[in-house]
Each structure stands twice: as C-alpha cells, then as structure tokens.
Amino acid sequence: MREINVNEIEEKVRELCIKANLYLPKTLEECIKCGREKEESPVGKNVFDDIIDNINVAREQTIPICQDTGMAIIFMEVGQDVHFVGGDINEAINKGVSRGYIDGRLRCSIVADPLERVNTQDNTPPVVHLKFIQGDKVKIMVAPKGFGSENMSALKMMTPSVTHDEIVDFVAESIAKAGSNPCPPIVVGVGIGGDFEKCAYLAKKALCRDVEKRNEKPLYRELEQKMLDKINALGIGPQGFGGTVTCLAVNIEEAPTHIAGLPVSVNVGCHVTRHAEAVI
C-alpha cells in the first residue's frame, strides 16, 4: 500500500489548473496550424492567423489563452493500492482548484446555486470524475470547460433501429444549430452507448483525447471521419465567418448499453479545448 499525502494532490491540481489555461496541448496547436493550411477562405485564413497569434501571446506572456477560463473538470484515476493521508481528499481537490484560479489570476466563473447565481469567488467546486485502476499511481487530468461551447452540447436517446447515417446526421445537425457560438474551429466529442449520464460523460472524456488519435475500432474510426467531413461541409468556418474548416477533429468514445437503447451525445469544445495531466 502506497501512502500519498493529500497536499500533493492539492498542489498538483493547482498546477494543472494554471497550466491548462495557459498552454494548449501541442498536438492541438499543430492541428490548428494544419487547419490554417487546409482552410480555403482568405477570411478564414486570417482568422486562423489571429488564433495562432493569440496562442503565442498567451504562452509568451503567461496569460490565459481564453478569457473564459472555464469550469474545472477533473478526471482522476486512483490506483487501488493508494491510501490518502493527511486530510480529506475532496477538500484537497477543492483547495487545489481555488489556489490555481486565484494564484493564476484566472477568471472565476462558478456560482454556488444555479438560480440564486452568487459567485463562489474561487471557481469551486469543480466537477470530479473518479475511476479506480490497478496499481499505486494517481492520474489527474484538469480540463477547464468554457460554456460558450458547453452550451452547444446535445444528447439524444436514440433506439437501436437508427442507422449509422442518422447518427452522423444528428451530430452534424447539432453543430449546424451551434453555428459560430462555440468559437470554431471546434473539437467535437461524441459519446455512443451507456445510459443517459454515462453517454454525456463519454462525450466529455472524448474531448480530452489527443486529436491525433483515432478510435481503435475501424467502425468508429470511419464514423469519426464521416462526422468530420459532414461538419466541415456546413461552411460555418473559423469563428463563423465561413470557410472549409469548421471542425479540427471528431473523437468518439463508446460503451456497452441496454438492448433497447442507443444514447448519443455531443460535447463541443472550442478551438482552445484545454487539458493538462500528470501522474503522482
């Protein structure tokens, strides 16, 4: 049994909150540069240039890539041979987020109650997804999620009678309705299977997959490409100014489901689909 002091978790969460908001994953940055070369619209190319300049300035001046520094979404994988000591792990995670957003001078956007709308002033609480794994390590991923893109997400409880093309159409229609709101070029996470809440989780987790990695199963890999092509054929373009590159990548995650159901969800990420991870 390996003992890990919760102070280590707090400090790592703090560090990742700041890092994720200042620096894009390298593969996404490269994907954006490739998108600029693929874009056929002159206006679209100019928008890509502005996006790339923004990424560079954020890195050079250590300021957030986007003013919406998001709701802190935390994926934690905890080894079954880990024992936390030194305090409450939930409190440590909250403190890590609070310190990260305050120390990093990041915008605090969380309200304590959805109707009373009083800001918590430190971006807590985060949304935490916990998974137990083998071993004695703790894997932490912090994915700040802005709500310009989050608000454009969708979920549909389909049935097994739907065709693959109908699934592709649902995803593309969801992006068509979103238009320029999620700040394209976007990354699209798609969840297929599970139940109502598992399906939404899958789509969110899919956004955190490396944009260079395709689904391992040929069926879903083919669907990812079909969805990408159909979305880019919409002509929304960078920041909604029209063009050929609306979407940078579509990532699908799937899970077992009930014989009577086929849930499909769409979680949209803007061009700063951020996440940072570490292992303790």
Side-chain angles (χ1 to χ4, degrees):
M1 183 68 68
R2 179 189 176 206
E3 291 189 347
I4 297 178
N5 194 295
V6 296
N7 291 335
E8 286 189 62
I9 302 297
E10 177 186 331
E11 184 58 35
K12 190 56 66 176
V13 169
R14 172 196 173 278
E15 174 189 316
L16 292 175
C17 283
I18 297 172
K19 181 179 179 181
N21 273 294
L22 268 56
Y23 310 108
L24 273 190
K26 284 294 182 185
T27 52
L28 179 56
E29 186 174 344
E30 289 305 313
C31 192
I32 289 172
K33 292 176 180 177
C34 288
R36 194 267 179 203
E37 298 308 311
K38 292 178 182 177
E39 178 55 59
E40 296 176 8
S41 162
V43 174
K45 282 186 179 293
N46 288 338
V47 173
F48 265 108
D49 288 338
D50 289 341
I51 289 172
I52 293 168
D53 286 344
N54 180 71
I55 293 170
N56 292 333
V57 169
R59 179 170 49 242
E60 292 164 5
Q61 298 189 16
T62 59
I63 55 177
I65 311 167
C66 176
Q67 53 83 25
D68 184 353
T69 51
M71 190 171 197
I73 312 299
I74 299 176
F75 296 94
M76 282 189 66
E77 296 184 358
V78 179
Q80 63 184 15
D81 297 325
V82 168
H83 175 55
F84 292 114
V85 296
D88 185 330
I89 183 64
N90 296 299
E91 184 179 342
I93 294 170
N94 272 327
K95 282 185 177 179
V97 171
S98 176
R99 290 178 55 216
Y101 274 76
I102 292 172
D103 296 350
R105 295 178 296 174
L106 306 174
R107 194 183 83 182
C108 297
S109 305
I110 304 306
V111 294
D113 183 280
L115 298 183
E116 294 176 351
R117 313 299 292 180
V118 178
N119 197 297
T120 64
Q121 301 299 320
D122 64 357
N123 223 60
T124 64
V127 174
V128 181
H129 298 288
L130 179 63
K131 180 181 179 180
F132 292 104
I133 59 175
Q134 293 184 348
D136 62 358
K137 301 285 193 300
V138 176
K139 299 179 181 179
I140 305 172
M141 176 184 287
V142 175
K145 191 65 168 69
F147 265 58
S149 58
E150 185 75 358
N151 285 341
M152 298 298 106
S153 302
L155 189 151
K156 187 172 184 179
M157 301 302 291
M158 294 182 168
T159 65
S161 64
V162 299
T163 65
H164 294 173
D165 285 342
E166 287 174 314
I167 295 173
V168 172
D169 288 344
F170 168 66
V171 174
E173 287 164 7
S174 299
I175 304 306
K177 290 177 183 177
S180 63
N181 289 311
C183 294
I186 55 177
V187 178
V188 177
V190 177
I192 301 178
D195 63 355
F196 183 83
E197 71 272 15
K198 175 75 171 184
C199 188
Y201 162 83
L202 290 170
K204 179 63 62 64
K205 192 69 167 63
L207 281 183
C208 297
R209 197 175 82 207
D210 191 321
V211 291
E212 287 189 342
K213 293 183 179 178
R214 300 296 90 231
N215 193 291
E216 294 180 356
K217 296 182 179 179
L219 169 61
Y220 293 100
R221 190 160 60 241
E222 182 180 342
L223 284 175
E224 287 175 338
Q225 187 60 52
K226 285 184 177 180
M227 291 172 184
L228 179 64
D229 291 343
K230 189 141 194 173
I231 291 170
N232 282 331
L234 295 172
I236 296 169
Q239 297 295 294
F241 286 104
T244 53
V245 183
T246 300
C247 183
L248 299 168
V250 176
N251 293 346
I252 297 176
E253 293 292 323
E254 76 286 348
T257 191
H258 190 277
I259 56 172
L262 184 56
V264 179
S265 61
V266 180
N267 196 219
V268 186
C270 64
H271 62 272
V272 287
T273 298
R274 303 153 287 184
H275 49 85
E277 57 188 307
V279 177
I280 295 176

